[in-house]
Amino acid sequence: MSAAATAPSAAEITRASKSNLALAFVALPRERREDISVFYAYCRVIDDIADEEGIPPEQRRAGLDAWRRALAGPQPDDPPLAPTVPASTVPSLRFNTEPPALSTAEI
């Protein structure tokens, strides 16, 4: 089974976070809820990469770099969630420069 087949979906990442913010997503219309779940999952994944103390800094940078490449266009080694992120209609994902969560994750 491939890593993509076993990787959690955006909805699963959002549910697993048990965040009060994520709980508020149920009040949104279905299409917006799906979009914000993708965006939230993306932010959670980036935050987890950046904050995981058990992973050496070089590996964390490599994980963030993989996301940079994935968001620039499809890559053979895309993180499993990556194909759903650009397809999202969340306005903040329509960027022409460094994705905000990636640039702040390395501060």
Side-chain angles (χ1 to χ4, degrees):
M1 190 175 289
S2 73
T6 60
S9 68
E12 291 167 332
I13 292 169
T14 301
R15 272 193 305 275
S17 75
K18 298 182 180 169
S19 163
N20 289 334
L21 173 63
L23 183 60
F25 298 167
V26 299
L28 297 170
R30 188 160 83 79
E31 181 181 311
R32 292 286 95 190
R33 185 171 53 243
E34 291 170 3
D35 291 341
I36 198 67
S37 289
V38 168
F39 182 69
Y40 181 83
Y42 158 75
C43 290
R44 283 278 3 115
V45 168
I46 296 301
D47 186 62
D48 290 348
I49 291 169
D51 290 346
E52 184 58 49
E53 292 182 14
I55 298 175
E58 302 79 33
Q59 284 183 297
R60 287 188 262 168
R61 270 191 227 89
L64 295 173
D65 287 343
W67 270 99
R68 278 192 189 87
R69 290 189 304 275
L71 294 173
Q75 305 294 318
D77 61 342
D78 274 350
L81 183 65
T84 65
V85 175
S88 173
T89 57
V90 174
S92 58
L93 287 180
R94 295 183 189 147
F95 46 77
N96 294 320
T97 60
E98 182 74 10
L102 286 176
S103 60
T104 59
E106 292 184 314
I107 294 176

